[in-house]
């Protein structure tokens, strides 16, 4: 059976001793300082002198900082996490230049999680125990699942989330066997009331984890607002809020893993829409519901699991009118408001809006599979036309843009 060689991260909880906690907190602070200082230097160099500073220059600056009296304390922690944060900053700028992300932001001591990355030269892996640089004792890790047999960690990332939980992520190179080939294909329509609607007619309910803990979160946030700034009680209240958020995120992620794994196991081809979630959450009335559904995270899970297990994920263009196109005859409506959940086509077919969209998405995805990834259906092509193979000696005309690409002019 075919298999894929992948780099896979295994994440575990661990409980540091007081000495290890102090060492890690000191490392987090130094990492944050170096990152922010390098970002400041790069920003000033470009804004004042139009000079581009890269990783090599910031690495040389780091050497100078450790030798100066002002930043001599940087030598008290391992140098590897400091170098790694400069590489991460370089990656953040690369994403910005390629217009895949916003301009890098300064790291905050109070916002987000703190982390430090250790490469092979900065930790010791022996007899299933992990010991980081500058530490004498191995980490007390809760092995919730074993590492692949014979796998050797290449990178270790230690982090503490806003809820105060400590995690270690161990990156290893391993093999994943492909699932047995299947002839099943499914179209998936994402929604809010129903998380996913499949072309088979099945609807997967949205648990709405955010709504279920809304009252608990409101109570915690109200308590936080009443605490005096800078007090220990405010720190405790902030931790309470973070734990509620962590509970919601964990339950949501668990559900998405189960749904995505099931779709990949049962289908050879999965067809979805290329939704612009970042733009959709700008709708003030739907932002909370869209964020709670977490379509982007589900899409990412389907993407890497399909690659791991030998499946195919097809994304059709976001502008394809899947809801307004009759999946039976291909007729296209001029308008279909969101309030209309069931409609009757002029051919007499009664459609459930979401099921019809999923079937139309499947037809468009099969056309993309047959014609190649470099095509996408136009706004006015019907699902019936897309489901037909191109005739002999005649090229099927589709607009030349990627199914992951930009909206049509």
């Amino acid at each position: 059976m075919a298999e894929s060689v992948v780099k896979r991260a295994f994440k575990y909880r661990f409980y540091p001793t007081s000495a290890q906690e102090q060492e890690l907190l000191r490392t987090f602070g130094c990492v944050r300082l170096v990152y922010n200082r390098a970002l400041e230097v790069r920003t000033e160099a470009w804004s004042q002198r139009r000079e581009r500073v890269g990783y090599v220059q910031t690495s040389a600056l780091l050497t100078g900082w450790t030798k100066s009296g002002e930043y001599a304390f940087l030598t008290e922690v391992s140098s590897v996490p400091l170098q790694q944060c400069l590489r991460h900053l370089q990656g953040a700028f690369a994403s910005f230049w390629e217009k895949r992300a916003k301009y890098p932001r300064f790291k905050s001591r109070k916002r987000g999680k703190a982390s430090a990355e250790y490469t092979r030269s900065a930790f010791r892996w022996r007899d299933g125990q992990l010991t980081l640089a500058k530490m004498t004792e191995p980490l007390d890790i809760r092995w919730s699942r074993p590492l692949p047999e014979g796998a050797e960690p290449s990178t270790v990332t230690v982090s503490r989330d806003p809820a105060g939980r400590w995690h270690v992520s161990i990156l290893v190179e391993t093999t994943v066997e492909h699932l047995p080939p299947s002839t099943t294909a499914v179209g998936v329509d994402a929604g809010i009331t129903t998380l996913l609607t499949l072309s088979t007619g099945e609807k997967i309910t949205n648990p709405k984890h955010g709504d279920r803990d809304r009252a608990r979160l409101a109570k915690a946030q109200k308590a936080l607002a009443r605490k005096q700034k800078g007090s220990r009680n405010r720190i405790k209240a902030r931790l309470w809020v973070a734990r509620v958020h962590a509970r919601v995120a964990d339950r949501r992620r668990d559900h998405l893993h189960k749904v995505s794994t099931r779709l990949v196991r049962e289908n050879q081809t999965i067809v979805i829409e290329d939704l612009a979630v970042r733009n959709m959450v700008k709708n003030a009335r739907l932002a909370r519901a869209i964020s709670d559904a977490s379509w982007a995270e589900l899409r990412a899970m389907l993407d890497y699991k399909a690659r791991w297990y030998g499946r195919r994920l097809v994304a059709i263009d976001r502008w394809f009118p899947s809801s307004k196109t009759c999946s039976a005859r291909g007729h296209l409506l001029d308008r279909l408001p969101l309030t209309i959940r069931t409609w009757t086509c002029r051919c007499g077919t009664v459609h459930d809006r979401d099921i019809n969209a999923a079937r139309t998405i499947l037809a468009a995805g099969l056309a993309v599979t047959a014609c190649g990834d470099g095509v996408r259906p136009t706004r006015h092509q019907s699902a019936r036309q897309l489901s037909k193979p191109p005739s002999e000696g005649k090229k099927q005309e589709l607009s030349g843009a990627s199914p992951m690409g930009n909206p049509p002019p």
Side-chain angles (χ1 to χ4, degrees):
M1 184 177 292
E3 57 186 23
S4 300
V5 179
V6 300
K7 288 186 176 181
R8 188 172 181 179
F10 292 81
K11 191 174 183 180
Y12 304 95
R13 287 284 299 273
F14 78 97
Y15 297 87
T17 64
S18 58
Q20 290 174 341
E21 183 175 357
Q22 291 302 317
E23 177 64 30
L24 289 174
L25 291 176
R26 191 182 305 113
T27 303
F28 292 161
C30 292
V31 166
R32 182 173 59 250
L33 171 65
V34 171
Y35 186 95
N36 290 344
R37 189 73 182 91
L39 176 56
E40 181 183 5
V41 169
R42 295 180 68 149
T43 303
E44 289 180 355
W46 178 255
S47 60
Q48 297 178 7
R49 303 184 299 275
R50 286 297 184 265
E51 176 186 348
R52 180 170 290 184
V53 176
Y55 165 75
V56 176
Q57 292 85 348
T58 54
S59 180
L61 288 173
L62 175 60
T63 303
W65 295 338
T66 56
K67 294 180 180 179
S68 67
E70 184 180 2
Y71 297 114
F73 59 87
L74 294 176
T75 58
E76 298 176 4
V77 302
S78 173
S79 61
V80 173
L82 306 183
Q83 292 287 348
Q84 290 300 104
C85 82
L86 295 180
R87 291 188 174 93
H88 294 163
L89 179 60
Q90 179 66 26
F93 270 102
S95 298
F96 169 70
W97 294 328
E98 295 172 5
K99 298 183 179 179
R100 292 186 286 108
K102 295 182 179 180
Y103 192 82
R105 296 193 306 173
F106 291 97
K107 290 184 179 292
S108 171
R109 184 170 58 88
K110 298 180 180 180
R111 184 182 65 242
K113 71 175 183 179
S115 64
E117 185 178 271
Y118 296 79
T119 57
R120 195 67 184 88
S121 61
F123 65 86
R124 183 174 68 252
W125 174 258
R126 184 177 299 169
D127 299 330
Q129 291 187 325
L130 179 66
T131 306
L132 301 178
K134 303 287 186 177
M135 295 185 185
T136 57
E137 299 180 9
L139 299 181
D140 181 17
I141 301 176
R142 298 296 189 263
W143 298 101
S144 54
R145 52 178 173 167
L147 289 175
E149 186 176 356
E152 287 290 330
S154 59
T155 304
V156 170
T157 302
V158 180
S159 62
R160 190 184 68 164
D161 64 15
R165 302 178 300 179
W166 292 88
H167 295 92
V168 58
S169 180
I170 303 175
L171 183 67
V172 299
E173 187 174 275
T174 183
T175 57
V176 178
E177 290 189 359
H178 290 181
L179 294 171
S182 171
T183 58
T184 309
V186 67
V188 180
D189 178 62
I192 295 177
T193 304
T194 301
L195 179 63
L196 297 178
T197 301
L198 309 184
S199 55
T200 58
E202 179 185 356
K203 294 187 176 183
I204 300 176
T205 305
N206 184 1
K208 297 184 179 180
H209 297 293
D211 286 349
R212 293 168 63 180
D213 282 347
R214 181 83 44 81
R216 180 178 301 179
L217 180 60
K219 183 177 180 180
Q221 289 175 329
K222 186 180 293 184
L224 174 62
R226 291 171 175 170
K227 298 298 184 290
Q228 183 179 358
K229 292 185 178 181
S231 65
R232 294 182 62 85
N233 284 335
R234 185 175 178 85
I235 295 176
K236 295 178 182 178
R238 184 186 295 115
L239 188 63
W240 182 17
V241 173
R243 286 173 177 169
V244 176
H245 279 297
R247 168 187 166 91
V248 173
D250 289 345
R251 294 167 67 186
R252 181 190 297 125
R253 191 179 304 109
D254 177 70
H255 180 69
L256 294 179
H257 270 299
K258 292 176 180 176
V259 171
S260 59
T261 299
R262 178 198 157 193
L263 290 176
V264 169
R265 288 187 181 277
E266 295 179 354
N267 303 280
Q268 182 67 33
T269 303
I270 305 169
V271 187
I272 60 176
E273 285 183 296
D274 181 29
L275 299 175
V277 179
R278 182 177 297 179
N279 296 333
M280 297 174 71
V281 294
K282 294 178 181 179
N283 186 327
R285 292 181 297 177
L286 299 177
R288 177 181 289 173
I290 293 174
S291 299
D292 195 20
S294 196
W295 296 333
E297 188 172 6
L298 177 62
R299 162 75 177 273
M301 291 180 181
L302 289 173
D303 187 17
Y304 78 78
K305 290 180 182 180
R307 286 187 283 105
W308 282 6
Y309 297 107
R311 301 309 200 195
R312 181 165 190 176
L313 180 67
V314 180
I316 67 169
D317 191 85
R318 69 189 61 160
W319 299 98
F320 180 65
S322 56
S323 299
K324 298 190 296 183
T325 303
C326 173
S327 58
R329 298 298 179 187
H331 299 146
L332 180 65
L333 296 182
D334 294 331
R335 187 170 173 272
L336 187 64
L338 286 174
T339 54
I340 299 179
R341 310 311 301 175
T342 304
W343 58 280
T344 303
C345 180
R346 62 173 180 261
C347 68
T349 306
V350 179
H351 292 294
D352 177 282
R353 179 193 184 102
D354 298 330
I355 297 176
N356 174 72
R359 291 172 178 170
T360 310
I361 290 170
L362 175 60
L366 294 178
V368 170
T369 303
C371 302
D373 288 342
V375 297
R376 67 165 173 83
T378 63
R379 286 187 178 186
H380 305 294
Q381 275 186 299
S382 66
R384 185 178 180 85
Q385 291 172 326
L386 289 169
S387 62
K388 295 180 179 179
S391 57
E392 295 182 0
K394 184 178 180 181
K395 182 179 179 181
Q396 187 178 20
E397 295 297 332
L398 294 175
S399 59
S402 166
M404 309 281 290
N406 300 321

